[in-house]
Amino acid sequence: ILYGRPVTAFPHVRRELTDAYVRLVGMKLFSDRAVDYFRTAGPEDRRYLLFNPMTKMKVTTEGEKVIDLMWDVIAAKGFEKDNYFAQAAVEIRGLPKLEGTVHVNLALILKFMRNHLLDPAAYEPVPTRLHAADDDFLFRQGPARGLGSVRFHDWRPAFEAYAHLSNVAQFREQADALCEFVRTAAPDDEQSRDLDLLLAVGQLFALVVHGQLVLEQAALAGCDEDVLDELFAVLVRDFSAHAVELHGKDSATEEQQLWALGAVRRPAVDGARSQRVWQRVEALSGAYEMMS
């Protein structure tokens, strides 16, 4: 209770808890779908080589954001005796770094960007893979060479299935803009040695891949559309923030700077939708019990 009111009465607290909730939903959706591609992998289907570093880099950094958002709400109570949260806030930092750091994985996924965005190939739909099976190819650690030649299925149908959601549509505009960036304003040979610039581009690409698998799994699992739309409002903000970051890079060309500002979008605001999602979040209060 602050100033005689529950903290959850404050708009910024509701936003932070809602953002944390939808980011967590996105993490789970992406990871569940990525497993299907891991288990379907073979010599002719190496798409997992993108989705693996995405899980190591993107999902783990989303976890950091979830903890940070919750800690802004919990504040000093996170340090109380016998409280798990202070430990969680420290240990969550290790996940993105245990797998070679975010930078290493971002540099790796950039190798797939052109083929993924611009040159899709035909694949049979990948089903949900929950059954017991011998995933021998995955455990043999198939060849990891020639990453630039790995082909992917078309990312657009996943977005088209949810085009009626306003923030998915907004994000799709940003994804299409990134395709145009790769065609017309991609880093030249000299800029390709500037890892600082490339990492900003990598963050933009990672968001598109993240959104794609989130939507694929949402369709398979029947995810609530209010939650999805609220999640993509967050992803639209993230994409805009990374575009602004790219705009400010020392070596960004004038054309790249103009593109970056042109890719900024404002999420579609829907007070009724946000209230419905908040009710889902609020209902979690007291729902979890520690095992004795």
Side-chain angles (χ1 to χ4, degrees), residues 64-79:
E64 285 189 286
K65 291 174 184 176
V66 168
I67 292 290
D68 285 342
L69 286 163
M70 292 176 65
W71 209 353
D72 280 347
V73 176
I74 296 169
K77 293 186 74 67
F79 294 96

Side-chain angles (χ1 to χ4, degrees), residues 152-274:
F152 298 87
H153 59 295
D154 194 346
W155 57 272
R156 295 168 183 83
F159 286 87
E160 288 162 1
Y162 287 97
H164 58 284
L165 298 182
S166 52
N167 284 304
V168 173
Q170 288 280 69
F171 189 84
R172 170 64 191 273
E173 287 184 13
Q174 292 177 310
D176 286 336
L178 184 61
C179 292
E180 190 61 24
F181 174 86
V182 174
R183 290 190 194 96
T184 64
D188 59 24
D189 290 342
E190 184 175 345
Q191 287 180 313
S192 294
R193 292 188 289 273
D194 181 355
L195 191 56
D196 190 38
L197 178 90
L198 292 182
L199 292 177
V201 177
Q203 290 284 9
L204 296 169
F205 174 50
L207 279 166
V208 175
V209 179
H210 182 68
Q212 175 195 354
L213 262 61
V214 162
L215 292 175
E216 287 186 13
Q217 183 64 17
L220 292 169
C223 183
D224 180 83
E225 291 194 350
D226 282 339
V227 173
L228 267 185
D229 208 17
E230 200 74 20
L231 167 59
F232 272 83
V234 171
L235 299 185
V236 168
R237 293 203 308 264
D238 287 354
F239 195 101
S240 296
H242 287 304
V244 171
E245 182 185 1
L246 175 62
H247 173 269
K249 292 300 181 185
D250 291 353
S251 64
T253 65
E254 185 173 348
E255 183 181 15
Q256 290 165 344
Q257 293 171 46
L258 289 171
W259 175 88
L261 294 182
V264 172
R265 294 288 185 279
R266 172 181 165 84
V269 176
D270 182 336
R273 178 199 68 221
S274 297

Side-chain angles (χ1 to χ4, degrees), residues 31-171:
S31 299
D32 285 349
R33 187 58 176 153
V35 167
D36 298 337
Y37 288 99
F38 297 165
R39 301 191 65 189
T40 303
E44 305 305 318
D45 183 354
R46 299 195 296 155
R47 288 174 286 179
Y48 81 101
L49 291 172
L50 168 60
F51 302 139
N52 186 34
M54 276 289 303
T55 307
K56 294 176 181 178
M57 180 279 293
K58 186 63 182 172
V59 175
T60 57
T61 53
E62 285 291 285
E64 285 189 286
K65 291 174 184 176
V66 168
I67 292 290
D68 285 342
L69 286 163
M70 292 176 65
W71 209 353
D72 280 347
V73 176
I74 296 169
K77 293 186 74 67
F79 294 96
E80 291 181 354
K81 185 181 178 183
D82 299 326
N83 189 317
Y84 167 74
F85 204 82
Q87 178 185 343
V90 172
E91 295 188 356
I92 196 71
R93 311 291 171 210
L95 292 175
K97 298 166 182 64
L98 284 169
E99 294 293 351
T101 79
V102 170
H103 300 155
V104 170
N105 285 302
L106 266 178
L108 179 62
I109 72 168
L110 273 169
K111 296 179 183 294
F112 303 102
M113 182 167 68
R114 182 171 290 275
N115 271 358
H116 182 278
L117 292 178
L118 303 181
D119 192 18
Y123 284 95
E124 289 297 316
V126 170
T128 300
R129 300 289 301 272
L130 297 176
H131 59 286
D134 182 6
D135 301 317
D136 61 316
F137 176 82
L138 192 61
F139 289 102
R140 282 202 313 269
Q141 290 291 303
R145 299 182 302 276
L147 301 184
S149 65
V150 175
R151 303 286 296 281
F152 298 87
H153 59 295
D154 194 346
W155 57 272
R156 295 168 183 83
F159 286 87
E160 288 162 1
Y162 287 97
H164 58 284
L165 298 182
S166 52
N167 284 304
V168 173
Q170 288 280 69
F171 189 84

